[in-house]
Amino acid sequence: VQSLAHLQMIKFCGVNKTSRGSLVTFLAGNRVLRYLTSSLTREQDLNKLLTCGPQLYVSAVERLKAEIKEKSAEQKRLIEELNVELATSLVERAKSADGFGHLHRDTGDPRQLAQLGNLALELGEHVHTILLTCGNPSETGSGGFSLVGRDADRIKRLGAECAGILGGRGGGSKGVFQGKVKSFEKLD
């Protein structure tokens, strides 16, 4: 630059201390204008999203974070209540099926299903094996399963058989076998 007039303006953004001294960060010329334009655009977008001005951004975000935390806790509590109801239903169905229970859900994950199965085992003394599946039956390769039971060796053996029948794979220990499902066609 031949003259400072060519820069138009300089904005010092901060100083970072390094092992060799200090590093000054700055913007100059058109970069300052581009940064100001993007900052103003971002501010307008945030004004619309948060429905407040820049001076209230921090309090609005803190409020939203508190609401999310509260809703997450409520969701967790409702899932626990639902699991108790589903486990009770599984136990009742297992009474008439010689201790075997099965439940399919379109949503969920194998870990959540294993928790549900363990709860059913706790609630029903006569229950010995529970197969829980999740995923959309019309979509290939989109599901999972958990096989839960009291006899760990039996569950390991049956789990491998289930994985083969369902076209998936999996593994487990301590009476829980989890895996992926490629197809629900052979599950009846």
Side-chain angles (χ1 to χ4, degrees):
V1 178
Q2 293 177 0
S3 167
L4 288 178
H6 292 126
L7 293 178
Q8 295 175 339
M9 66 182 99
I10 298 174
K11 168 63 179 155
F12 292 99
C13 301
V15 177
N16 297 325
K17 296 191 186 231
T18 64
S19 60
R20 297 183 186 192
S22 298
L23 182 63
V24 178
T25 307
F26 67 94
L27 298 171
N30 285 335
R31 289 184 181 177
V32 176
L33 294 174
R34 284 194 306 261
Y35 184 80
L36 178 62
T37 301
S38 71
S39 293
L40 290 172
T41 302
R42 189 177 315 112
E43 184 177 301
Q44 288 173 348
D45 293 342
L46 286 171
N47 285 347
K48 290 176 187 174
L49 290 171
L50 298 174
T51 63
C52 64
Q55 59 276 31
L56 299 176
Y57 284 171
V58 173
S59 62
V61 169
E62 288 173 348
R63 177 181 46 82
L64 289 172
K65 284 179 69 176
E67 286 178 15
I68 288 171
K69 186 176 180 180
E70 180 183 317
K71 295 296 180 189
S72 293
E74 182 180 350
Q75 180 185 23
K76 185 177 179 180
R77 185 184 52 76
L78 289 171
I79 287 173
E80 288 172 359
E81 287 179 18
L82 177 64
N83 281 345
V84 169
E85 292 300 319
L86 289 172
T88 304
S89 171
L90 261 173
V91 168
E92 290 301 316
R93 282 189 271 159
K95 281 181 185 176
S96 63
D98 296 327
F100 179 80
H102 173 252
L103 176 71
H104 176 80
R105 301 203 23 111
D106 287 339
T107 60
D109 60 69
R111 185 178 48 99
Q112 180 185 7
L113 294 179
Q115 291 173 348
L116 175 60
N118 285 327
L119 182 60
L121 288 175
E122 288 176 22
L123 294 175
E125 293 179 14
H126 63 282
V127 178
H128 58 77
T129 306
I130 297 176
L131 175 63
L132 302 142
T133 55
C134 65
N136 188 342
S138 62
E139 293 180 18
T140 303
S142 67
F145 76 95
S146 287
L147 188 66
V148 182
R150 299 187 191 284
D151 183 357
D153 293 332
R154 181 173 186 231
I155 294 301
K156 190 172 185 178
R157 183 177 45 79
L158 289 174
E161 288 180 26
C162 283
I165 291 169
L166 297 172
R169 57 189 168 96
S173 63
K174 299 180 183 176
V176 177
F177 191 98
Q178 298 176 336
K180 300 236 181 228
V181 175
K182 288 187 180 176
S183 173
F184 291 104
E185 289 177 1
K186 296 181 182 177
L187 184 66
D188 284 324

